[in-house]
Amino acid sequence: MKEEKIRRFLSMAIIACGVVIVIICTVYQNRFYCVPHQVYLSGYNDASSIETKYDISIEKENQDYAKVRGWILARGHEIVEFDTQIILYEDGSDEGLLWLTQMENRTDVTEMMNDGINYDESGFQTMIPSKYVEGKKYKIAIAFYVNQERYILKTDQEFVVEDEED
């Protein structure tokens, strides 16, 4: 009888630990992927020194989120490591809000470039919650890797979220 109580206690303890681990992982993932990270643009290499091509579109998903999607490439450089990030910055500021992205396979970009380089992994998308950017005028920058070097391309594309009261 005593062994059965010990087994039951251990089983409940293992289940409780499992639930706690799942909760911690969920909170961490939400915090890491859904909250912007503040970065300094001067910490990146300027992409104006390499030939880049890009396309960005912004789609309003609903009043709470906007989807930023597109592609970026450094001409002649195959994408070996995908770690593209979107950075929203204000004109004249060195600080920006960094958003992690998901890769989108873009075979159309490889076909369009038609230079023998595989750009299929040049696509990206991210969801940006309005609550972090309401009432401010941002521009979009794209951070990406070329030959294991981190570059940033500041675009003239604006990202504006109107206040809900407007």
Side-chain angles (χ1 to χ4, degrees):
M1 194 69 147
K2 198 171 190 176
E3 280 184 21
E4 188 175 314
K5 285 184 178 184
I6 292 173
R7 280 189 193 146
R8 187 172 293 159
F9 174 77
L10 287 176
S11 296
M12 295 304 280
I14 290 171
I15 291 171
C17 287
V19 169
V20 168
I21 289 171
V22 167
I23 290 170
I24 289 171
C25 290
T26 303
V27 168
Y28 174 77
Q29 182 177 4
N30 184 48
R31 181 89 177 125
F32 191 75
Y33 287 100
C34 296
V35 176
H37 306 274
Q38 192 159 3
V39 295
Y40 293 97
L41 306 181
S42 58
Y44 297 86
N45 295 318
D46 187 2
S48 63
S49 63
I50 56 177
E51 184 182 353
T52 57
K53 299 215 179 276
Y54 71 93
D55 183 54
I56 300 173
S57 67
I58 302 169
E59 303 166 14
K60 188 75 171 163
E61 288 291 299
N62 56 43
Q63 68 185 23
D64 297 328
Y65 289 92
K67 181 187 284 187
V68 177
R69 65 189 315 185
W71 55 269
I72 186 165
L73 60 86
R75 189 163 186 124
H77 297 276
E78 189 168 329
I79 295 149
V80 178
E81 179 178 354
F82 177 84
D83 190 17
T84 303
Q85 300 163 338
I86 296 296
I87 300 173
L88 301 180
Y89 68 98
E90 295 179 84
D91 263 340
S93 176
D94 185 46
E95 295 180 14
L97 299 176
L98 181 137
W99 301 92
L100 301 174
T101 64
Q102 294 176 323
M103 185 184 70
E104 285 192 329
N105 196 349
R106 296 293 304 259
T107 56
D108 60 317
V109 175
T110 300
E111 291 171 13
M112 177 186 70
M113 296 306 292
N114 195 24
D115 63 0
I117 304 292
N118 182 353
Y119 300 112
D120 289 358
E121 295 179 353
S122 63
F124 59 84
Q125 74 169 354
T126 191
M127 300 290 282
I128 299 180
S130 301
K131 67 182 179 181
Y132 294 107
V133 294
E134 274 182 343
K136 293 188 179 180
K137 291 185 179 183
Y138 289 102
K139 288 194 174 181
I140 298 175
I142 308 170
F144 60 103
Y145 277 101
V146 176
N147 296 334
Q148 298 181 339
E149 292 281 329
R150 195 84 175 126
Y151 286 90
I152 189 168
L153 176 69
K154 292 181 181 179
T155 72
D156 288 326
Q157 179 116 17
E158 291 189 355
F159 184 91
V160 179
V161 175
E162 301 296 329
D163 288 330
E164 285 184 30
E165 294 97 37
D166 294 346

